[in-house]
Amino acid sequence: MNPQPLYFDDLTVGDTFISGTHEVSAADIKRFAAEFDPQPFHLDDEAARGTMFGGLAASGWHTAAITMRLLLSGGGPKLANGALGAGSEIEWKMPTRPGDALHVESEVVELVPSRSRAHLGTLVLRSRTINQRGEVVQNQTARLIVARRPA
């Protein structure tokens, strides 16, 4: 992990980043769901058993929020001045379950300097959120507007 903030110009296609882990508890799943996605398979163990998930499952948005936190906690590029989201594609491959320990593996897949704003560029970052069994629970490809190194 690079402790210095990175600018667009410091990145190279193929750069990779690996986060630490975050363990998800049933209480975490229920707390997030109660506030943001109150569906039975996120809120109640017994009710969840009778659904397509067959048991308690985290909201995909909960998994996405954990992914974001892991990326910003040193598991992604530490970008100078942060980044502005310019779009994202998320694919949930399988549910996140109580007891899962998630980590994120990311790769820079595209870098495009802005033609109209010389101080900015677009970074395309592909991230896979993976559980303790090596199973991908989420794929995300994010387009991020990032600062270029000052002249």
Short mmCIF file of all heavy atoms in Angstrom, two decimals, residues 6-79:
data_model
loop_
_atom_site.label_atom_id
_atom_site.label_comp_id
_atom_site.label_asym_id
_atom_site.label_seq_id
_atom_site.Cartn_x
_atom_site.Cartn_y
_atom_site.Cartn_z
N LEU A 6 -2.24 9.37 -4.23
CA LEU A 6 -1.96 9.15 -5.64
C LEU A 6 -2.79 10.08 -6.51
O LEU A 6 -3.97 10.28 -6.25
CB LEU A 6 -2.26 7.70 -6.02
CG LEU A 6 -1.46 6.62 -5.31
CD1 LEU A 6 -2.03 5.25 -5.63
CD2 LEU A 6 0.00 6.71 -5.70
N TYR A 7 -2.16 10.59 -7.53
CA TYR A 7 -2.85 11.37 -8.55
C TYR A 7 -3.07 10.47 -9.76
O TYR A 7 -2.45 9.41 -9.90
CB TYR A 7 -2.01 12.59 -8.95
CG TYR A 7 -1.94 13.64 -7.88
CD1 TYR A 7 -0.95 13.60 -6.90
CD2 TYR A 7 -2.88 14.67 -7.83
CE1 TYR A 7 -0.89 14.56 -5.91
CE2 TYR A 7 -2.83 15.63 -6.84
CZ TYR A 7 -1.83 15.58 -5.88
OH TYR A 7 -1.78 16.54 -4.89
N PHE A 8 -3.93 10.91 -10.65
CA PHE A 8 -4.20 10.20 -11.89
C PHE A 8 -2.89 9.79 -12.57
O PHE A 8 -2.74 8.65 -13.02
CB PHE A 8 -5.03 11.12 -12.80
CG PHE A 8 -5.26 10.59 -14.18
CD1 PHE A 8 -6.35 9.78 -14.44
CD2 PHE A 8 -4.41 10.91 -15.23
CE1 PHE A 8 -6.58 9.29 -15.72
CE2 PHE A 8 -4.62 10.43 -16.50
CZ PHE A 8 -5.70 9.61 -16.75
N ASP A 9 -1.93 10.71 -12.59
CA ASP A 9 -0.66 10.50 -13.29
C ASP A 9 0.23 9.45 -12.63
O ASP A 9 1.18 8.98 -13.24
CB ASP A 9 0.09 11.83 -13.40
CG ASP A 9 -0.81 12.94 -13.92
OD1 ASP A 9 -0.96 13.06 -15.15
OD2 ASP A 9 -1.42 13.64 -13.08
N ASP A 10 -0.05 9.11 -11.38
CA ASP A 10 0.73 8.10 -10.66
C ASP A 10 0.23 6.68 -10.94
O ASP A 10 0.91 5.71 -10.59
CB ASP A 10 0.66 8.34 -9.15
CG ASP A 10 1.18 9.71 -8.75
OD1 ASP A 10 2.17 10.17 -9.36
OD2 ASP A 10 0.60 10.31 -7.83
N LEU A 11 -0.95 6.56 -11.52
CA LEU A 11 -1.57 5.26 -11.75
C LEU A 11 -1.22 4.70 -13.11
O LEU A 11 -0.97 5.45 -14.06
CB LEU A 11 -3.09 5.39 -11.62
CG LEU A 11 -3.59 5.83 -10.25
CD1 LEU A 11 -5.05 6.25 -10.32
CD2 LEU A 11 -3.39 4.73 -9.22
N THR A 12 -1.23 3.38 -13.21
CA THR A 12 -0.94 2.67 -14.45
C THR A 12 -1.99 1.57 -14.62
O THR A 12 -2.38 0.92 -13.64
CB THR A 12 0.46 2.01 -14.38
OG1 THR A 12 1.42 3.01 -14.08
CG2 THR A 12 0.82 1.33 -15.67
N VAL A 13 -2.46 1.38 -15.85
CA VAL A 13 -3.36 0.27 -16.11
C VAL A 13 -2.68 -1.02 -15.65
O VAL A 13 -1.50 -1.24 -15.93
CB VAL A 13 -3.75 0.21 -17.60
CG1 VAL A 13 -4.51 -1.08 -17.91
CG2 VAL A 13 -4.58 1.42 -17.99
N GLY A 14 -3.41 -1.81 -14.89
CA GLY A 14 -2.86 -3.05 -14.33
C GLY A 14 -2.48 -2.94 -12.87
O GLY A 14 -2.26 -3.97 -12.22
N ASP A 15 -2.40 -1.71 -12.32
CA ASP A 15 -2.14 -1.56 -10.89
C ASP A 15 -3.21 -2.31 -10.11
O ASP A 15 -4.40 -2.25 -10.46
CB ASP A 15 -2.17 -0.09 -10.46
CG ASP A 15 -0.92 0.69 -10.88
OD1 ASP A 15 0.05 0.08 -11.34
OD2 ASP A 15 -0.95 1.93 -10.75
N THR A 16 -2.82 -3.02 -9.05
CA THR A 16 -3.77 -3.77 -8.24
C THR A 16 -3.69 -3.34 -6.78
O THR A 16 -2.66 -2.85 -6.32
CB THR A 16 -3.52 -5.29 -8.34
OG1 THR A 16 -2.19 -5.56 -7.90
CG2 THR A 16 -3.74 -5.79 -9.76
N PHE A 17 -4.80 -3.56 -6.10
CA PHE A 17 -4.92 -3.20 -4.69
C PHE A 17 -5.73 -4.29 -4.00
O PHE A 17 -6.69 -4.81 -4.56
CB PHE A 17 -5.65 -1.85 -4.55
CG PHE A 17 -5.00 -0.74 -5.33
CD1 PHE A 17 -5.34 -0.50 -6.65
CD2 PHE A 17 -4.03 0.04 -4.74
CE1 PHE A 17 -4.74 0.50 -7.39
CE2 PHE A 17 -3.40 1.05 -5.47
CZ PHE A 17 -3.76 1.28 -6.79
N ILE A 18 -5.34 -4.63 -2.76
CA ILE A 18 -6.05 -5.64 -1.98
C ILE A 18 -6.34 -5.05 -0.60
O ILE A 18 -5.44 -4.51 0.05
CB ILE A 18 -5.23 -6.94 -1.85
CG1 ILE A 18 -4.98 -7.54 -3.24
CG2 ILE A 18 -5.95 -7.95 -0.95
CD1 ILE A 18 -4.09 -8.75 -3.25
N SER A 19 -7.58 -5.17 -0.17
CA SER A 19 -8.00 -4.60 1.11
C SER A 19 -7.77 -5.56 2.26
O SER A 19 -7.47 -6.74 2.05
CB SER A 19 -9.48 -4.24 1.06
OG SER A 19 -10.28 -5.41 1.18
N GLY A 20 -7.99 -5.05 3.44
CA GLY A 20 -8.11 -5.90 4.62
C GLY A 20 -9.47 -6.58 4.58
O GLY A 20 -10.17 -6.53 3.55
N THR A 21 -9.88 -7.19 5.68
CA THR A 21 -11.16 -7.90 5.71
C THR A 21 -12.16 -7.21 6.64
O THR A 21 -11.77 -6.45 7.53
CB THR A 21 -10.99 -9.37 6.15
OG1 THR A 21 -10.45 -9.38 7.47
CG2 THR A 21 -10.10 -10.13 5.22
N HIS A 22 -13.40 -7.52 6.40
CA HIS A 22 -14.51 -7.03 7.23
C HIS A 22 -15.46 -8.20 7.45
O HIS A 22 -15.97 -8.76 6.47
CB HIS A 22 -15.23 -5.87 6.54
CG HIS A 22 -16.40 -5.38 7.32
ND1 HIS A 22 -16.29 -4.40 8.28
CD2 HIS A 22 -17.71 -5.74 7.28
CE1 HIS A 22 -17.49 -4.18 8.80
NE2 HIS A 22 -18.36 -4.97 8.22
N GLU A 23 -15.68 -8.56 8.70
CA GLU A 23 -16.60 -9.65 9.01
C GLU A 23 -18.02 -9.11 9.19
O GLU A 23 -18.21 -8.09 9.85
CB GLU A 23 -16.17 -10.42 10.26
CG GLU A 23 -17.01 -11.67 10.45
CD GLU A 23 -16.44 -12.64 11.46
OE1 GLU A 23 -15.22 -12.67 11.64
OE2 GLU A 23 -17.25 -13.37 12.07
N VAL A 24 -18.97 -9.80 8.60
CA VAL A 24 -20.37 -9.38 8.61
C VAL A 24 -21.14 -10.25 9.59
O VAL A 24 -21.13 -11.47 9.48
CB VAL A 24 -20.98 -9.51 7.19
CG1 VAL A 24 -22.41 -9.01 7.18
CG2 VAL A 24 -20.12 -8.78 6.17
N SER A 25 -21.81 -9.61 10.53
CA SER A 25 -22.62 -10.37 11.50
C SER A 25 -24.10 -10.30 11.12
O SER A 25 -24.52 -9.43 10.35
CB SER A 25 -22.43 -9.80 12.91
OG SER A 25 -23.06 -8.54 13.02
N ALA A 26 -24.88 -11.20 11.70
CA ALA A 26 -26.33 -11.16 11.49
C ALA A 26 -26.89 -9.84 11.99
O ALA A 26 -27.77 -9.25 11.35
CB ALA A 26 -26.99 -12.34 12.21
N ALA A 27 -26.38 -9.35 13.12
CA ALA A 27 -26.86 -8.07 13.65
C ALA A 27 -26.56 -6.93 12.68
O ALA A 27 -27.39 -6.04 12.49
CB ALA A 27 -26.22 -7.79 15.01
N ASP A 28 -25.38 -6.95 12.05
CA ASP A 28 -25.04 -5.92 11.06
C ASP A 28 -26.02 -5.96 9.89
O ASP A 28 -26.50 -4.92 9.42
CB ASP A 28 -23.63 -6.15 10.49
CG ASP A 28 -22.51 -5.98 11.49
OD1 ASP A 28 -22.69 -5.24 12.48
OD2 ASP A 28 -21.46 -6.60 11.27
N ILE A 29 -26.31 -7.17 9.40
CA ILE A 29 -27.21 -7.34 8.26
C ILE A 29 -28.59 -6.78 8.61
O ILE A 29 -29.18 -6.01 7.83
CB ILE A 29 -27.29 -8.83 7.87
CG1 ILE A 29 -25.97 -9.27 7.24
CG2 ILE A 29 -28.47 -9.08 6.93
CD1 ILE A 29 -25.85 -10.76 7.01
N LYS A 30 -29.10 -7.12 9.77
CA LYS A 30 -30.43 -6.68 10.18
C LYS A 30 -30.48 -5.18 10.43
O LYS A 30 -31.46 -4.52 10.07
CB LYS A 30 -30.88 -7.45 11.42
CG LYS A 30 -31.12 -8.93 11.14
CD LYS A 30 -31.40 -9.69 12.41
CE LYS A 30 -31.53 -11.18 12.15
NZ LYS A 30 -31.80 -11.94 13.38
N ARG A 31 -29.44 -4.63 11.02
CA ARG A 31 -29.39 -3.19 11.31
C ARG A 31 -29.40 -2.39 10.00
O ARG A 31 -30.16 -1.44 9.86
CB ARG A 31 -28.16 -2.88 12.15
CG ARG A 31 -28.08 -1.46 12.66
CD ARG A 31 -26.92 -1.20 13.62
NE ARG A 31 -25.75 -2.04 13.45
CZ ARG A 31 -25.42 -3.08 14.24
NH1 ARG A 31 -26.18 -3.42 15.25
NH2 ARG A 31 -24.33 -3.78 14.02
N PHE A 32 -28.55 -2.77 9.04
CA PHE A 32 -28.51 -2.07 7.76
C PHE A 32 -29.86 -2.19 7.06
O PHE A 32 -30.42 -1.20 6.57
CB PHE A 32 -27.40 -2.64 6.87
CG PHE A 32 -27.25 -1.91 5.57
CD1 PHE A 32 -26.32 -0.89 5.44
CD2 PHE A 32 -28.03 -2.23 4.47
CE1 PHE A 32 -26.18 -0.20 4.25
CE2 PHE A 32 -27.90 -1.55 3.27
CZ PHE A 32 -26.97 -0.53 3.15
N ALA A 33 -30.40 -3.40 7.02
CA ALA A 33 -31.67 -3.63 6.33
C ALA A 33 -32.82 -2.84 6.96
O ALA A 33 -33.66 -2.29 6.24
CB ALA A 33 -32.00 -5.12 6.32
N ALA A 34 -32.86 -2.78 8.28
CA ALA A 34 -33.93 -2.06 8.96
C ALA A 34 -33.98 -0.61 8.51
O ALA A 34 -35.06 -0.02 8.36
CB ALA A 34 -33.77 -2.16 10.47
N GLU A 35 -32.81 -0.03 8.26
CA GLU A 35 -32.76 1.38 7.87
C GLU A 35 -32.87 1.58 6.37
O GLU A 35 -33.48 2.54 5.92
CB GLU A 35 -31.47 2.02 8.39
CG GLU A 35 -31.44 3.51 8.18
CD GLU A 35 -30.33 4.21 8.93
OE1 GLU A 35 -29.59 3.55 9.69
OE2 GLU A 35 -30.20 5.43 8.74
N PHE A 36 -32.27 0.69 5.56
CA PHE A 36 -32.13 0.98 4.14
C PHE A 36 -32.78 0.00 3.17
O PHE A 36 -32.99 0.34 2.01
CB PHE A 36 -30.64 1.10 3.78
CG PHE A 36 -29.93 2.18 4.52
CD1 PHE A 36 -29.02 1.88 5.51
CD2 PHE A 36 -30.18 3.52 4.23
CE1 PHE A 36 -28.36 2.88 6.20
CE2 PHE A 36 -29.53 4.52 4.91
CZ PHE A 36 -28.61 4.21 5.91
N ASP A 37 -33.06 -1.23 3.59
CA ASP A 37 -33.60 -2.23 2.66
C ASP A 37 -34.43 -3.25 3.44
O ASP A 37 -34.07 -4.42 3.55
CB ASP A 37 -32.44 -2.92 1.93
CG ASP A 37 -32.88 -3.76 0.74
OD1 ASP A 37 -34.11 -3.91 0.51
OD2 ASP A 37 -32.00 -4.29 0.04
N PRO A 38 -35.58 -2.81 3.98
CA PRO A 38 -36.34 -3.67 4.90
C PRO A 38 -37.16 -4.75 4.21
O PRO A 38 -38.38 -4.72 4.19
CB PRO A 38 -37.23 -2.65 5.63
CG PRO A 38 -37.42 -1.54 4.64
CD PRO A 38 -36.13 -1.47 3.87
N GLN A 39 -36.46 -5.74 3.69
CA GLN A 39 -37.12 -6.90 3.09
C GLN A 39 -36.92 -8.10 4.03
O GLN A 39 -35.91 -8.17 4.73
CB GLN A 39 -36.53 -7.19 1.72
CG GLN A 39 -36.75 -6.03 0.74
CD GLN A 39 -36.33 -6.40 -0.66
OE1 GLN A 39 -36.99 -7.19 -1.31
NE2 GLN A 39 -35.22 -5.82 -1.10
N PRO A 40 -37.87 -9.05 4.03
CA PRO A 40 -37.82 -10.13 5.02
C PRO A 40 -36.54 -10.96 5.01
O PRO A 40 -36.08 -11.40 6.06
CB PRO A 40 -39.04 -11.00 4.68
CG PRO A 40 -39.70 -10.42 3.50
CD PRO A 40 -39.02 -9.13 3.16
N PHE A 41 -35.95 -11.19 3.83
CA PHE A 41 -34.74 -12.02 3.78
C PHE A 41 -33.50 -11.29 4.30
O PHE A 41 -32.44 -11.89 4.44
CB PHE A 41 -34.49 -12.58 2.37
CG PHE A 41 -34.82 -11.64 1.25
CD1 PHE A 41 -33.95 -10.62 0.88
CD2 PHE A 41 -36.01 -11.79 0.56
CE1 PHE A 41 -34.27 -9.76 -0.16
CE2 PHE A 41 -36.33 -10.95 -0.49
CZ PHE A 41 -35.46 -9.92 -0.85
N HIS A 42 -33.63 -9.99 4.61
CA HIS A 42 -32.54 -9.22 5.23
C HIS A 42 -32.80 -8.98 6.72
O HIS A 42 -31.90 -8.56 7.44
CB HIS A 42 -32.38 -7.86 4.57
CG HIS A 42 -32.11 -7.88 3.11
ND1 HIS A 42 -31.27 -8.79 2.50
CD2 HIS A 42 -32.56 -7.08 2.11
CE1 HIS A 42 -31.22 -8.54 1.21
NE2 HIS A 42 -32.00 -7.52 0.94
N LEU A 43 -34.04 -9.21 7.16
CA LEU A 43 -34.43 -8.81 8.52
C LEU A 43 -34.68 -9.94 9.50
O LEU A 43 -34.52 -9.76 10.70
CB LEU A 43 -35.71 -7.96 8.45
CG LEU A 43 -35.58 -6.59 7.82
CD1 LEU A 43 -36.95 -5.99 7.56
CD2 LEU A 43 -34.75 -5.68 8.71
N ASP A 44 -35.10 -11.10 8.99
CA ASP A 44 -35.58 -12.15 9.88
C ASP A 44 -35.08 -13.52 9.43
O ASP A 44 -35.37 -13.93 8.29
CB ASP A 44 -37.12 -12.11 9.89
CG ASP A 44 -37.72 -13.14 10.81
OD1 ASP A 44 -37.86 -12.85 12.01
OD2 ASP A 44 -38.05 -14.24 10.30
N ASP A 45 -34.36 -14.21 10.30
CA ASP A 45 -33.79 -15.52 9.96
C ASP A 45 -34.87 -16.51 9.49
O ASP A 45 -34.72 -17.15 8.46
CB ASP A 45 -33.07 -16.14 11.17
CG ASP A 45 -31.93 -15.27 11.67
OD1 ASP A 45 -30.96 -15.10 10.93
OD2 ASP A 45 -32.04 -14.78 12.82
N GLU A 46 -35.93 -16.63 10.27
CA GLU A 46 -36.96 -17.61 9.95
C GLU A 46 -37.68 -17.26 8.64
O GLU A 46 -37.87 -18.12 7.78
CB GLU A 46 -37.97 -17.72 11.09
CG GLU A 46 -38.95 -18.86 10.88
CD GLU A 46 -39.85 -19.05 12.10
OE1 GLU A 46 -39.40 -18.80 13.23
OE2 GLU A 46 -41.00 -19.45 11.88
N ALA A 47 -38.05 -15.99 8.48
CA ALA A 47 -38.73 -15.57 7.25
C ALA A 47 -37.80 -15.77 6.04
O ALA A 47 -38.25 -16.15 4.95
CB ALA A 47 -39.16 -14.12 7.35
N ALA A 48 -36.52 -15.56 6.23
CA ALA A 48 -35.55 -15.68 5.13
C ALA A 48 -35.42 -17.11 4.64
O ALA A 48 -35.16 -17.34 3.45
CB ALA A 48 -34.18 -15.16 5.58
N ARG A 49 -35.63 -18.09 5.53
CA ARG A 49 -35.52 -19.50 5.12
C ARG A 49 -36.54 -19.87 4.05
O ARG A 49 -36.30 -20.74 3.23
CB ARG A 49 -35.64 -20.42 6.33
CG ARG A 49 -34.36 -20.48 7.15
CD ARG A 49 -34.37 -21.62 8.15
NE ARG A 49 -35.19 -21.35 9.31
CZ ARG A 49 -34.83 -20.61 10.35
NH1 ARG A 49 -33.64 -20.06 10.38
NH2 ARG A 49 -35.65 -20.43 11.38
N GLY A 50 -37.68 -19.18 4.03
CA GLY A 50 -38.72 -19.48 3.06
C GLY A 50 -38.62 -18.67 1.78
O GLY A 50 -39.53 -18.70 0.96
N THR A 51 -37.50 -17.99 1.58
CA THR A 51 -37.34 -17.16 0.37
C THR A 51 -36.33 -17.79 -0.58
O THR A 51 -35.73 -18.83 -0.28
CB THR A 51 -36.84 -15.75 0.74
OG1 THR A 51 -35.48 -15.83 1.19
CG2 THR A 51 -37.71 -15.10 1.81
N MET A 52 -36.11 -17.15 -1.70
CA MET A 52 -35.14 -17.63 -2.69
C MET A 52 -33.73 -17.72 -2.13
O MET A 52 -32.91 -18.47 -2.65
CB MET A 52 -35.16 -16.72 -3.92
CG MET A 52 -34.68 -15.30 -3.66
SD MET A 52 -34.91 -14.26 -5.07
CE MET A 52 -35.94 -12.99 -4.34
N PHE A 53 -33.44 -17.00 -1.03
CA PHE A 53 -32.11 -17.04 -0.43
C PHE A 53 -31.93 -18.23 0.51
O PHE A 53 -30.81 -18.62 0.80
CB PHE A 53 -31.81 -15.74 0.32
CG PHE A 53 -31.62 -14.57 -0.59
CD1 PHE A 53 -32.55 -13.55 -0.64
CD2 PHE A 53 -30.51 -14.48 -1.41
CE1 PHE A 53 -32.38 -12.47 -1.47
CE2 PHE A 53 -30.32 -13.40 -2.25
CZ PHE A 53 -31.26 -12.39 -2.29
N GLY A 54 -33.03 -18.77 1.03
CA GLY A 54 -32.94 -19.91 1.92
C GLY A 54 -32.31 -19.61 3.25
O GLY A 54 -31.90 -20.52 3.98
N GLY A 55 -32.19 -18.36 3.60
CA GLY A 55 -31.58 -17.95 4.86
C GLY A 55 -31.24 -16.48 4.82
O GLY A 55 -31.31 -15.83 3.76
N LEU A 56 -30.86 -15.95 5.96
CA LEU A 56 -30.55 -14.53 6.09
C LEU A 56 -29.45 -14.14 5.12
O LEU A 56 -28.42 -14.81 5.02
CB LEU A 56 -30.13 -14.21 7.52
CG LEU A 56 -30.07 -12.73 7.88
CD1 LEU A 56 -31.47 -12.11 7.85
CD2 LEU A 56 -29.46 -12.55 9.27
N ALA A 57 -29.66 -13.04 4.39
CA ALA A 57 -28.69 -12.54 3.41
C ALA A 57 -28.61 -11.03 3.53
O ALA A 57 -29.63 -10.36 3.75
CB ALA A 57 -29.11 -12.92 2.00
N ALA A 58 -27.42 -10.50 3.40
CA ALA A 58 -27.23 -9.05 3.43
C ALA A 58 -27.80 -8.42 2.17
O ALA A 58 -27.79 -9.02 1.09
CB ALA A 58 -25.75 -8.71 3.54
N SER A 59 -28.29 -7.22 2.32
CA SER A 59 -28.70 -6.44 1.15
C SER A 59 -27.49 -6.26 0.23
O SER A 59 -26.35 -6.10 0.70
CB SER A 59 -29.19 -5.07 1.62
OG SER A 59 -29.31 -4.17 0.54
N GLY A 60 -27.73 -6.28 -1.06
CA GLY A 60 -26.63 -5.97 -1.99
C GLY A 60 -26.05 -4.60 -1.72
O GLY A 60 -24.84 -4.38 -1.87
N TRP A 61 -26.90 -3.67 -1.30
CA TRP A 61 -26.42 -2.32 -1.00
C TRP A 61 -25.53 -2.31 0.25
O TRP A 61 -24.61 -1.50 0.36
CB TRP A 61 -27.60 -1.35 -0.86
CG TRP A 61 -28.35 -1.28 -2.14
CD1 TRP A 61 -29.62 -1.72 -2.39
CD2 TRP A 61 -27.84 -0.81 -3.40
NE1 TRP A 61 -29.93 -1.53 -3.71
CE2 TRP A 61 -28.86 -0.98 -4.36
CE3 TRP A 61 -26.62 -0.28 -3.81
CZ2 TRP A 61 -28.70 -0.62 -5.69
CZ3 TRP A 61 -26.46 0.08 -5.15
CH2 TRP A 61 -27.49 -0.09 -6.06
N HIS A 62 -25.79 -3.24 1.17
CA HIS A 62 -24.91 -3.40 2.33
C HIS A 62 -23.54 -3.89 1.87
O HIS A 62 -22.50 -3.37 2.29
CB HIS A 62 -25.56 -4.37 3.32
CG HIS A 62 -24.88 -4.45 4.64
ND1 HIS A 62 -25.32 -5.31 5.62
CD2 HIS A 62 -23.80 -3.83 5.17
CE1 HIS A 62 -24.55 -5.20 6.68
NE2 HIS A 62 -23.61 -4.30 6.43
N THR A 63 -23.54 -4.89 0.99
CA THR A 63 -22.27 -5.39 0.45
C THR A 63 -21.54 -4.27 -0.29
O THR A 63 -20.32 -4.11 -0.15
CB THR A 63 -22.52 -6.59 -0.48
OG1 THR A 63 -23.18 -7.62 0.27
CG2 THR A 63 -21.22 -7.13 -1.06
N ALA A 64 -22.27 -3.46 -1.05
CA ALA A 64 -21.65 -2.34 -1.77
C ALA A 64 -21.06 -1.32 -0.79
O ALA A 64 -19.96 -0.79 -1.02
CB ALA A 64 -22.67 -1.67 -2.69
N ALA A 65 -21.76 -1.05 0.31
CA ALA A 65 -21.27 -0.10 1.31
C ALA A 65 -20.00 -0.65 1.99
O ALA A 65 -19.04 0.10 2.23
CB ALA A 65 -22.35 0.19 2.34
N ILE A 66 -19.98 -1.93 2.29
CA ILE A 66 -18.78 -2.55 2.87
C ILE A 66 -17.62 -2.45 1.88
O ILE A 66 -16.49 -2.13 2.26
CB ILE A 66 -19.07 -4.02 3.27
CG1 ILE A 66 -20.05 -4.07 4.44
CG2 ILE A 66 -17.76 -4.74 3.61
CD1 ILE A 66 -20.63 -5.45 4.70
N THR A 67 -17.91 -2.72 0.62
CA THR A 67 -16.88 -2.60 -0.42
C THR A 67 -16.28 -1.20 -0.42
O THR A 67 -15.06 -1.03 -0.44
CB THR A 67 -17.46 -2.96 -1.80
OG1 THR A 67 -17.92 -4.31 -1.77
CG2 THR A 67 -16.44 -2.77 -2.90
N MET A 68 -17.14 -0.19 -0.40
CA MET A 68 -16.67 1.20 -0.40
C MET A 68 -15.78 1.46 0.81
O MET A 68 -14.71 2.06 0.69
CB MET A 68 -17.87 2.14 -0.41
CG MET A 68 -17.52 3.59 -0.49
SD MET A 68 -16.80 3.95 -2.10
CE MET A 68 -16.70 5.72 -2.01
N ARG A 69 -16.21 1.00 1.97
CA ARG A 69 -15.43 1.22 3.19
C ARG A 69 -14.07 0.53 3.10
O ARG A 69 -13.05 1.12 3.48
CB ARG A 69 -16.21 0.70 4.40
CG ARG A 69 -15.49 0.91 5.70
CD ARG A 69 -15.28 2.37 5.96
NE ARG A 69 -14.49 2.55 7.16
CZ ARG A 69 -14.04 3.70 7.56
NH1 ARG A 69 -14.30 4.79 6.88
NH2 ARG A 69 -13.32 3.78 8.63
N LEU A 70 -14.04 -0.69 2.59
CA LEU A 70 -12.77 -1.40 2.45
C LEU A 70 -11.84 -0.69 1.46
O LEU A 70 -10.63 -0.60 1.69
CB LEU A 70 -13.01 -2.85 2.04
CG LEU A 70 -13.59 -3.76 3.13
CD1 LEU A 70 -14.05 -5.08 2.53
CD2 LEU A 70 -12.58 -3.98 4.25
N LEU A 71 -12.40 -0.17 0.38
CA LEU A 71 -11.59 0.56 -0.59
C LEU A 71 -10.99 1.82 0.04
O LEU A 71 -9.83 2.16 -0.19
CB LEU A 71 -12.42 0.93 -1.82
CG LEU A 71 -12.76 -0.22 -2.75
CD1 LEU A 71 -13.80 0.22 -3.78
CD2 LEU A 71 -11.52 -0.75 -3.44
N LEU A 72 -11.79 2.53 0.84
CA LEU A 72 -11.33 3.78 1.44
C LEU A 72 -10.48 3.58 2.68
O LEU A 72 -9.86 4.53 3.15
CB LEU A 72 -12.52 4.68 1.76
CG LEU A 72 -13.27 5.19 0.53
CD1 LEU A 72 -14.49 6.00 0.95
CD2 LEU A 72 -12.36 6.01 -0.36
N SER A 73 -10.46 2.37 3.21
CA SER A 73 -9.66 2.07 4.41
C SER A 73 -8.27 1.55 4.05
O SER A 73 -7.65 0.87 4.85
CB SER A 73 -10.38 1.05 5.28
OG SER A 73 -11.59 1.56 5.74
N GLY A 74 -7.80 1.84 2.87
CA GLY A 74 -6.47 1.42 2.47
C GLY A 74 -6.46 0.27 1.49
O GLY A 74 -5.40 -0.18 1.09
N GLY A 75 -7.63 -0.19 1.08
CA GLY A 75 -7.69 -1.32 0.17
C GLY A 75 -7.80 -0.93 -1.29
O GLY A 75 -7.79 -1.78 -2.17
N GLY A 76 -7.90 0.35 -1.54
CA GLY A 76 -7.94 0.86 -2.90
C GLY A 76 -6.89 1.93 -3.04
O GLY A 76 -6.17 2.22 -2.09
N PRO A 77 -6.79 2.53 -4.20
CA PRO A 77 -5.81 3.59 -4.35
C PRO A 77 -6.17 4.77 -3.44
O PRO A 77 -7.34 5.18 -3.40
CB PRO A 77 -5.90 3.97 -5.83
CG PRO A 77 -7.23 3.47 -6.30
CD PRO A 77 -7.58 2.30 -5.41
N LYS A 78 -5.21 5.26 -2.69
CA LYS A 78 -5.43 6.43 -1.84
C LYS A 78 -5.29 7.65 -2.75
O LYS A 78 -4.19 8.10 -3.04
CB LYS A 78 -4.40 6.47 -0.70
CG LYS A 78 -4.58 7.65 0.22
CD LYS A 78 -3.52 7.66 1.30
CE LYS A 78 -3.66 8.92 2.13
NZ LYS A 78 -2.55 9.03 3.09
N LEU A 79 -6.42 8.15 -3.21
CA LEU A 79 -6.43 9.19 -4.23
C LEU A 79 -6.35 10.59 -3.61
O LEU A 79 -7.09 10.90 -2.67
CB LEU A 79 -7.68 9.07 -5.10
CG LEU A 79 -7.80 7.76 -5.85
CD1 LEU A 79 -9.18 7.61 -6.46
CD2 LEU A 79 -6.71 7.67 -6.92
#
